[in-house]
Amino acid sequence: MIDKFRETFREEAEELLSQLEDVLLELETRPDDVELINAAFRAVHTIKGSAGMFGFEKAGRFTHDLENLLDACRSGLRAVDSRVIDLSLRARDKIRAMLAEADSSAPFDEEAQALMAEFRAAVEDGSQLSPPPGSGKAGSVKAGSVKAGSGTVGATSLSAGSGHGSSGADTGRTATMQPEATQTGADKPGFKAGTDETYRIVFEPAPEIFMNGTKVLKLIEELAELGTLSVVPAVEAIPPMDLLDPERCYVSWNAVLTTSSGINAIRDVFIFVEGASRVVIEHLDIPDEDGGRQKRVGEMLLERGLVRPEDLGEALKSQKRLGEVLLENKLLKPSDLESVLAEQAHIKHAQEHQHDTGAMSVRVASVKLDQLVDLVGEMVTLQARLTSSTSTLGDTTLSGIAEQLERLVSQLRDNAMSVRMLPIGSTFNKFRRVVRDLSSELGKDVELLTEGAETELDKTVIERLNDPLVHIIRNSLDHGVESPDDRRAAGKPPKGTVCLKASHSGAHVVIQVSDDGKGLDMDAIRRKATERGLIAPGEILSDADAGLLIFRAGFSTAVSVTSVSGRGVGMDVVKREIDSLGGTVSVETSAGVGSTISLQIPLTLAIIEGLLVRIADEHFVLPLSSVEACIELPDDAGQTSNGSRLLSYRGDLLPYVELRDAFAIQGTVPGFRQVVVVNSQEHKIGFVVDAVIGDYQTVIKPLGRMFKDVSGISGATILGDGTVALIIDFNRLAHSARAAQARSA
Amino acid sequence: MAKKLLVIDDSAAIRQSITYILQQDGYETVEAIDGLDGLQKLDSADRFDCIITDVNMPNMDGITFIRKARENPKFKFVPILVLTTESQGTKMNEGKEAGATGWIVKPFSADKLLAVVKKVAE
Amino acid sequence: MAEAISGRYLTFVLADELFAVPVGRVEVVLEMQRVTRVPNALPFIRGVTNHRGSVIPVVDPLLRLEGVPVDLEADPAIIVLQLDFSGEALSIGMLADGVREVMDLEQSMIEAPPRLGGRMDSRFIQGIGKTPGGFVVILDLDAAFAATSDGVAS
């Protein structure tokens, strides 16, 4: 393994071998001395254990057989006789010779092979008195106490005791490196490595598991790393605080794991805790979506023996949901129910995934998908109406149905949305061509790297990202990456790189375009912005804010106007398009090192989680993912002398927008009002509303081309009562508010 | 902060190669030549994130070391790995009973060692 | 400007005057329903409403023609129409004080709109139909409403 320790090992082994020689010679005169036998065994054992690690595999394998023989003697299964002593001494010399050999990969010579055969024979022979062929001496014999038959027993128990040692001896070093390759009953015939299989795992740690340094949660994390994991902890056994012993583990876990790593990988996770802790790993059959039927909760509970059949029958008679009835009557532990439900959901998901990755796929015209999503959107809307109507009617049967329908509709929605998700990689490929053509046009040498091509986004979002990304990449090539000569002069490789990277971040996808060019010239940008009146003279801007200036209309710092991007046309288009997608743009740059432009885009444009608010009798929606808090409008909020509106929020002054003014809404202003605090492009801003109504599944409807120039509104949605509410373009409003503040400052 | 490990083995070759592998991967290591030395190293250190110990050692063997280490409240819950060979199934159990967290089977590769250390110590 | 041609027309009332639009353009006539105001929209757009799950703009022809809004409190009808918006079909809702009947207009019954005079903006009028019951003003829908700015249609 590590050559630098090879010599150290050889010296150690040398020492051990001379000790072994002394011990063996003494043993010849005192064959009953247990200590001597142990010492001999230890020396051999140490050599065997380490030899393989320092490039003496051959010596290691050879020593293994000698060790077996000495082990048999040590455990009294074989008498220490002259044959053992003789063999051991010869073996010792052989090992010494092997350690001196330069090449450990050469096959065993005849002598070694003969010795190894004799070790094995000597173990098998057990107590047999007959001297080995070729051995002239028949020294002292100590076989009388061991019966002839026990030799076989000894051999059997030896191999059993050594566990996977038997295979290790045959295949040498490699076998011990890998987990057991034993096929188990759980692995079905036809199981192929690399295909996804689903397992149910029950892990009940021994209560004292912490006492040996095991980190239990780490095991669960390890499981999660193997694939898709659904895990439910059973916490019922946790005693009340005063009885709780913090050094004991009271929690057990039920998990369902879909993994391509195979059952042995799961076993490996629990390798150190098996035995003391209960670990059950069962293979689960995932029926085909079309072929098999999803098991019902009742069925699964019975199968696992969690409820008695008669209790189940009784519970099924009730009109309510099975789980609720069983829980109410204390016939089932909450965690058991949760675990069964989690397993059901997991299997369902695995089924869908099976379908995803299966050979079967269908091409569908994208317009049909759009229609599907539209229809689902209408259903979500109608569902909201149904829910609000049933709650006023107060009919429990109807409410129950409405609830079930709601669950179905939300699943349907998720499904429909997922069908529209596409990997962004297809777009990435188009940019290779852009980079190739443009770099030759500009006389630059630029390579495009991509990362996260598999990141999925709603297809309409992907389509609309195309133009902005082309602009950004063009800009990077034109203004960022230097010419090969300039790069050489700056001590950089002549070939520049532009990296296009996509990744998920919550309900958003972050797309980054970075180059290793010269970075943005912040001073030039500030100077230019001042010249153009975009910022007031002397106005202090952070680098991040100054970077954003390149997205302002009519801004360009290129010394020469090029046909590519020097006219300052383009980057403002990027900003506008990303805004309209509900996304944000940010810039990071480091002089001489490069720049990164990051776009944060919502995953989908079709349905979002919204926060419904009201001003007078008009309803509006804010995207919930951007909402940080809802607070009461404090009394001290108000206009400062320079006209900007500020309120105190968590010890800071927070700018806020009076939506009533921004949207010219009539009506009396109520005494108590609320402020929705929103994160907008790394700034916080408050929006004053009359009341916050709550979460709302918002199916986004475009306002259409007649509202092209409307600012402050990004779309519409249909509420439960069929009326239309508008979605607030908070980024735009926040931006105007900041601009107004900057002007008056 | 780098994880700190105590490596106990009477074989200098094994001990040094383990510390070498661990150090290459950014771990901090302390060596001890047997169980007795190991206990002394425990006394003089404020913390160890993991302990790796051989079983067969002169003066004090690994199993006794583990028992004594667990008596020290400071190291009650520290992961302890036993260096063992495949033919020592009983040693694994003895080790576990004494309070070992897991084991590393000799001979092992650098990858295997790091994987096991990572499994219990991070 | 497109010339009015013979065909079937739907007639409706705005401020006591009779107007007509080609039946082929009409999708459906809705009873008055909630119209949501859109801040900062073009003045003749009264807002948006829900039509079969889509959000459609609701335009006020009276405001466009005479600068006077239709009274929403008086329960006007909403005529859902197809608009030609730079070559693309777009559904809009148009307010009307009341919907009358479907009638046939022959080419001979249609006269060109008056060039000047009158309260109405003649740019949005396709022609005047003369019927036994009186005059009927044929609206030029695309000119009146397919606009993105305050001026005439794009």
Side-chain angles (χ1 to χ4, degrees):
Chain A
M1 165 171 63
I2 299 158
D3 287 345
K4 58 194 296 184
F5 302 109
R6 203 179 148 97
E7 213 33 61
T8 317
F9 168 74
R10 209 200 307 259
E11 283 161 24
E12 269 177 18
E14 206 45 65
E15 205 174 301
L16 284 167
L17 286 172
S18 64
Q19 276 174 25
L20 178 65
E21 188 169 36
D22 296 346
V23 168
L24 286 171
L25 290 173
E26 244 190 290
L27 200 56
E28 196 158 27
T29 58
R30 285 187 284 142
D32 286 331
D33 193 324
V34 181
E35 269 311 305
L36 285 176
I37 301 172
N38 279 341
F41 174 80
R42 261 206 310 275
V44 170
H45 176 79
T46 304
I47 294 170
K48 186 211 78 173
S50 314
M53 293 176 58
F54 301 100
F56 301 102
E57 285 86 357
K58 199 162 94 178
R61 283 204 297 285
F62 178 82
T63 314
H64 179 83
D65 283 3
L66 173 62
E67 185 195 15
N68 275 352
L69 176 60
L70 291 175
D71 194 34
C73 299
R74 189 173 66 134
S75 44
L77 295 169
R78 197 196 190 295
V80 179
D81 54 14
S82 63
R83 184 179 170 200
V84 170
I85 305 285
D86 180 54
L87 270 175
S88 301
L89 282 170
R90 279 162 63 201
R92 181 231 162 241
D93 296 345
K94 191 71 204 166
I95 294 167
R96 201 159 169 252
M98 282 178 181
L99 293 177
E101 263 175 47
D103 182 12
S104 167
S105 59
F108 289 118
D109 58 20
E110 261 174 54
E111 193 194 357
Q113 282 176 10
L115 275 169
M116 286 161 80
E118 281 190 60
F119 296 150
R120 279 176 221 142
V123 174
E124 296 290 322
D125 287 354
S127 58
Q128 274 179 17
L129 297 172
S130 61
S135 158
K137 289 182 270 178
S140 63
V141 170
K142 286 293 295 179
S145 58
V146 184
K147 287 182 209 130
S150 68
T152 342
V153 175
T156 317
S157 68
L158 189 72
S159 66
S162 63
H164 37 267
S166 48
S167 68
D170 297 334
T171 49
R173 190 170 161 225
T174 44
T176 60
M177 300 293 161
Q178 270 138 23
E180 287 176 76
T182 345
Q183 282 290 320
T184 64
D187 288 343
K188 296 179 297 180
F191 169 85
K192 281 182 277 149
T195 51
D196 273 350
E197 293 286 318
T198 301
Y199 302 88
R200 177 196 297 146
I201 300 149
V202 180
F203 174 39
E204 288 171 17
E208 60 280 357
I209 190 161
F210 299 136
M211 307 304 283
N212 67 11
T214 303
K215 294 171 181 175
V216 178
L217 286 178
K218 182 114 200 339
L219 298 175
I220 306 291
E221 280 167 26
E222 238 183 286
L223 266 189
E225 281 166 18
L226 290 177
T228 316
L229 183 75
S230 307
V231 60
V232 177
V235 295
E236 284 89 350
I238 300 179
M241 211 52 167
D242 48 339
L243 298 176
L244 189 123
D245 176 355
E247 294 187 356
R248 290 175 78 82
C249 180
Y250 299 97
V251 185
S252 60
W253 284 267
N254 276 294
V256 184
L257 173 70
T258 300
T259 175
S260 58
S261 312
I263 194 166
N264 286 326
I266 305 175
R267 292 233 165 85
D268 273 0
V269 169
F270 296 105
I271 184 162
F272 293 150
V273 300
E274 238 168 343
S277 299
R278 197 167 91 94
V279 178
V280 184
I281 306 168
E282 286 173 279
H283 180 267
L284 291 178
D285 279 315
I286 306 291
D288 283 343
E289 266 188 299
D290 344 300
R293 177 184 61 88
Q294 174 95 50
K295 276 185 187 154
R296 291 177 188 285
V297 172
E299 237 176 301
M300 294 170 75
L301 289 171
L302 269 189
E303 236 179 49
R304 291 210 210 167
L306 295 171
V307 287
R308 294 185 306 170
E310 55 270 34
D311 290 341
L312 182 65
E314 201 57 40
L316 282 171
K317 281 185 202 151
S318 152
Q319 285 293 310
K320 289 198 239 166
R321 303 183 66 192
L322 177 64
E324 284 166 25
V325 178
L326 290 170
L327 287 184
E328 266 170 32
N329 297 323
K330 301 229 179 332
L331 296 168
L332 184 65
K333 281 195 291 180
S335 70
D336 283 341
L337 175 65
E338 213 185 311
S339 135
V340 167
L341 290 176
E343 179 174 322
Q344 204 183 29
H346 186 103
I347 290 175
K348 199 155 164 293
H349 185 84
Q351 258 181 350
E352 287 161 11
H353 191 69
Q354 222 170 32
H355 202 76
D356 277 0
T357 52
M360 274 269 286
S361 70
V362 182
R363 260 174 195 278
V364 181
S366 67
V367 63
K368 285 190 180 174
L369 290 183
D370 294 347
Q371 283 166 358
L372 177 70
V373 171
D374 285 350
L375 282 172
V376 170
E378 278 183 54
M379 273 188 79
V380 171
T381 308
L382 201 63
Q383 170 60 47
R385 284 180 74 174
L386 182 64
T387 306
S388 77
S389 308
T390 47
S391 71
T392 39
L393 283 174
D395 182 323
T396 47
T397 317
L398 200 57
S399 303
I401 297 172
E403 239 169 72
Q404 285 189 33
L405 190 66
E406 190 172 346
R407 218 169 33 245
L408 277 176
V409 168
S410 93
Q411 283 175 8
L412 179 65
R413 182 204 64 208
D414 290 350
N415 257 308
M417 299 308 295
S418 76
V419 171
R420 288 223 312 192
M421 302 298 257
L422 287 179
I424 198 169
S426 51
T427 329
F428 279 10
N429 289 331
K430 279 189 242 159
F431 299 132
R432 284 186 200 291
R433 185 62 193 271
V434 173
V435 169
R436 194 188 148 276
D437 292 354
L438 198 60
S439 48
S440 68
E441 187 183 323
L442 294 167
K444 293 179 179 176
D445 190 6
V446 184
E447 185 186 12
L448 178 73
L449 302 176
T450 60
E451 207 177 298
E454 72 288 347
T455 309
E456 288 192 331
L457 261 172
D458 192 290
K459 76 173 183 60
T460 47
V461 181
I462 291 184
E463 282 157 15
R464 287 176 61 184
L465 272 176
N466 191 57
D467 288 354
L469 283 175
V470 168
H471 278 303
I472 295 173
I473 290 172
R474 280 171 166 262
N475 197 68
S476 291
L477 257 69
D478 198 16
H479 299 316
V481 180
E482 314 89 329
S483 68
D485 288 343
D486 287 354
R487 291 182 65 87
R488 263 188 225 102
K492 294 182 183 182
K495 192 191 201 91
T497 40
V498 170
C499 182
L500 190 55
K501 184 175 157 193
S503 59
H504 278 292
S505 155
H508 290 88
V509 164
V510 177
I511 298 170
Q512 291 183 317
V513 182
S514 13
D515 63 61
D516 64 347
K518 57 180 181 278
L520 294 175
D521 184 345
M522 285 305 176
D523 292 333
I525 288 173
R526 287 197 179 91
R527 210 162 43 236
K528 194 74 144 201
T530 316
E531 267 171 36
R532 305 256 158 122
L534 296 173
I535 54 173
E539 187 180 343
I540 310 289
L541 275 184
S542 69
D543 277 0
D545 282 340
L548 288 173
L549 288 169
I550 62 169
F551 295 105
R552 298 281 287 271
F555 189 91
S556 172
T557 61
V559 179
S560 67
V561 172
T562 69
S563 65
V564 183
S565 52
R567 266 183 267 274
V569 177
M571 292 308 256
D572 59 319
V573 176
V574 169
K575 180 80 170 71
R576 216 179 309 138
E577 187 65 24
I578 300 304
D579 278 351
S580 77
L581 283 168
T584 57
V585 183
S586 62
V587 184
E588 258 178 83
T589 187
S590 171
V593 180
S595 323
T596 300
I597 294 177
S598 305
L599 311 178
Q600 188 175 328
I601 314 287
L603 276 178
T604 174
L605 295 179
I607 301 180
I608 59 162
E609 292 287 334
L611 184 71
L612 191 62
V613 300
R614 183 178 59 76
I615 303 157
D617 60 348
E618 299 188 18
H619 290 90
F620 297 91
V621 172
L622 281 155
L624 197 57
S625 59
S626 299
V627 172
E628 184 179 283
C630 296
I631 55 170
E632 214 168 89
L633 181 66
D635 295 332
D636 61 354
Q639 224 147 352
T640 59
S641 53
N642 62 19
S644 56
R645 291 182 156 116
L646 294 169
L647 58 84
S648 50
Y649 171 68
R650 293 186 187 163
D652 268 331
L653 284 178
L654 177 80
Y656 70 92
V657 173
E658 276 279 4
L659 285 179
R660 195 175 277 273
D661 294 352
F663 294 156
I665 297 167
Q666 315 289 320
T668 47
V669 179
F672 290 103
R673 291 194 293 160
Q674 288 193 287
V675 183
V676 181
V677 182
V678 168
N679 287 307
S680 166
Q681 292 154 339
E682 288 159 29
H683 297 274
K684 289 188 200 0
I685 187 157
F687 291 101
V688 180
V689 300
D690 287 0
V692 172
I693 296 172
D695 295 6
Y696 190 74
Q697 280 287 339
T698 308
V699 181
I700 302 180
K701 305 281 180 182
L703 272 181
R705 297 165 61 171
M706 285 182 90
F707 300 95
K708 196 164 95 24
D709 294 328
V710 168
S711 74
I713 301 293
S714 63
T717 188
I718 296 168
L719 298 180
D721 63 359
T723 63
V724 177
L726 301 174
I727 300 167
I728 296 174
D729 182 355
F730 66 93
N731 277 328
R732 182 72 68 93
L733 288 176
H735 188 262
S736 317
R738 277 204 302 279
Q741 201 182 349
R743 268 196 305 277
S744 60
Chain B
M1 189 163 48
K3 298 264 177 203
K4 190 168 158 192
L5 279 82
L6 175 62
V7 180
I8 313 172
D9 199 315
D10 56 329
S11 155
I14 295 278
R15 204 171 59 230
Q16 285 167 14
S17 48
I18 290 175
T19 45
Y20 175 78
I21 294 166
L22 292 172
Q23 282 169 5
Q24 292 291 301
D25 220 51
Y27 291 97
E28 196 183 313
T29 55
V30 173
E31 291 177 37
I33 55 160
D34 57 34
L36 219 51
D37 188 23
L39 285 180
Q40 277 164 12
K41 294 279 155 58
L42 287 189
D43 279 340
S44 56
D46 56 332
R47 68 166 178 116
F48 281 110
D49 298 293
C50 181
I51 299 165
I52 299 175
T53 179
D54 190 22
V55 178
N56 284 314
M57 290 181 292
N59 302 322
M60 184 191 286
D61 66 29
I63 304 296
T64 316
F65 165 80
I66 295 170
R67 282 211 186 88
K68 300 235 180 239
R70 289 289 184 225
E71 283 166 16
N72 182 340
K74 236 181 350 182
F75 300 102
K76 204 167 174 181
F77 302 112
V78 172
I80 302 181
L81 291 168
V82 175
L83 285 170
T84 176
T85 55
E86 56 212 309
S87 54
Q88 283 180 300
T90 50
K91 287 289 176 200
M92 290 181 187
N93 289 334
E94 249 183 86
K96 290 237 59 169
E97 272 161 35
T101 315
W103 54 83
I104 302 171
V105 177
K106 285 189 284 189
F108 51 83
S109 64
D111 288 347
K112 177 77 184 174
L113 171 72
L114 291 171
V116 176
V117 169
K118 213 171 155 238
K119 180 178 167 75
V120 301
E122 295 211 336
Chain C
M1 181 194 306
E3 233 172 72
I5 46 160
S6 58
R8 310 198 87 184
Y9 285 82
L10 176 76
T11 63
F12 59 96
V13 181
L14 279 174
D16 299 328
E17 254 170 298
L18 204 58
F19 289 81
V21 288
V23 165
R25 292 290 197 96
V26 177
E27 262 179 56
V28 68
V29 177
L30 305 173
E31 277 176 33
M32 182 55 192
Q33 59 183 37
R34 173 85 189 239
V35 174
T36 303
R37 193 181 64 91
V38 178
N40 312 320
L42 296 176
F44 66 87
I45 301 175
R46 296 297 293 271
V48 287
T49 198
N50 168 13
H51 173 49
R52 293 184 189 152
S54 289
V55 173
I56 60 169
V58 176
V59 298
D60 187 332
L62 200 57
L63 207 52
R64 191 62 161 153
L65 289 166
E66 300 179 20
V68 185
V70 169
D71 182 6
L72 292 181
E73 300 301 314
D75 278 344
I78 299 175
I79 305 173
V80 180
L81 299 160
Q82 289 279 330
L83 214 60
D84 179 11
F85 202 101
S86 329
E88 265 178 61
L90 180 79
S91 289
I92 60 159
M94 182 179 72
L95 296 170
D97 287 333
V99 175
R100 287 290 174 267
E101 59 177 332
V102 174
M103 64 159 65
D104 289 312
L105 285 177
E106 297 297 327
Q107 192 71 57
S108 58
M109 300 156 75
I110 303 172
E111 282 181 10
R115 285 261 173 101
L116 285 167
R119 290 164 296 141
M120 293 175 204
D121 192 328
S122 60
R123 289 176 302 171
F124 310 132
I125 299 171
Q126 220 164 27
I128 308 290
K130 283 186 187 162
T131 70
F135 295 108
V136 49
V137 181
I138 303 171
L139 270 183
D140 186 340
L141 290 170
D142 299 329
F145 303 122
T148 53
S149 64
D150 235 351
V152 190
S154 52

